[in-house]
Amino acid sequence: GGVIVIIPSFVVFFSPDVDLSRSRGGGGGSFNYGYIEGRPITRDEFLPVYREVRLDYFLSTGKWSVSEESVQRRLEQTALNRVLLLRKVKEYDIKVSEKAVARRAKQQLGGLAVSRFNSEILKPNGYTESEYATYVRHQVALDQLFDLASTSGRLVNPREAEMLFRREYENV
């Protein structure tokens, strides 16, 4: 065999039958989008991250509309994974500078002014400049997280990876 790169603390399992359309836990606004390391993913945590994923989808495809169910499910799964990664950013206390955020925004927008991007793209699609800034800040933080993980990651064989996964998440 082959080898795979795995970082056990970043491995997460989400059941394919996670229902994102209705409340779990009996109403009263108690939404549950799954669990990560025994902690529930709440509606208040999931929805802003899902909006970031939709924004990212637009930036990479040029399309806001998501009509295919398979694309919708992929975006939902991506949002769940992003929640995990953003929790890791917080756990590792990763901070990003405003300079790094501005540099990434300028790189993403090319020659387009932020004010024009806001008025012609964000606002008409229900997004704010603040949401875009948060999205960019999170992208930069995730890059730093991945850099950190790549320097501390190690190669393991599939059997060892499965064993590590089971040990790490046997209580989930």
Side-chain angles (χ1 to χ4, degrees):
V3 293
I4 61 171
V5 175
I6 187 166
I7 302 156
S9 62
F10 288 173
V11 176
V12 66
F13 173 78
F14 289 100
S15 171
D17 64 348
V18 168
D19 183 357
L20 300 176
S21 63
R22 63 186 169 105
S23 171
R24 296 194 185 265
S30 176
F31 286 85
N32 176 353
Y33 292 85
Y35 289 85
I36 297 174
E37 298 175 335
R39 286 183 34 220
I41 302 168
T42 65
R43 177 184 175 96
D44 289 342
E45 184 177 29
F46 178 81
L47 291 180
V49 173
Y50 179 75
R51 286 181 56 81
E52 287 183 26
V53 168
R54 289 288 307 268
L55 180 58
D56 189 63
Y57 178 78
F58 168 76
L59 292 171
S60 63
T61 67
K63 295 188 260 180
W64 285 108
S65 176
V66 181
S67 56
E68 306 88 35
E69 188 172 328
S70 63
V71 174
Q72 180 66 33
R73 294 292 293 168
R74 190 176 77 232
L75 293 179
E76 291 166 355
Q77 185 64 47
T78 301
L80 292 170
N81 292 335
R82 190 174 179 94
V83 167
L84 167 71
L85 295 173
L86 291 172
R87 284 183 180 182
K88 292 297 179 185
V89 164
K90 194 173 193 175
E91 179 182 323
Y92 290 115
D93 197 30
I94 294 174
K95 306 282 189 230
V96 296
S97 71
E98 290 305 312
K99 185 177 179 180
V101 172
R103 186 171 42 246
R104 173 63 67 86
K106 184 177 179 181
Q107 179 184 43
Q108 276 187 338
L109 299 179
L112 188 61
V114 173
S115 60
R116 187 167 169 212
F117 180 69
N118 185 41
S119 65
E120 294 179 14
I121 295 172
L122 294 176
K123 275 187 180 179
N125 291 288
Y127 282 81
T128 65
E129 196 172 324
S130 175
E131 285 177 300
Y132 176 69
T134 298
Y135 160 77
V136 174
R137 184 172 291 102
H138 285 164
Q139 289 296 104
V140 173
L142 291 173
D143 285 350
Q144 290 182 14
L145 179 68
F146 295 141
D147 288 346
L148 174 66
S150 67
T151 60
S152 64
R154 60 187 182 100
L155 296 176
V156 295
N157 66 44
R159 180 174 290 138
E160 185 180 5
E162 182 179 351
M163 186 177 70
L164 288 169
F165 175 84
R166 289 182 191 282
R167 184 175 28 182
E168 184 89 6
Y169 293 97
E170 63 187 7
N171 294 329
V172 174

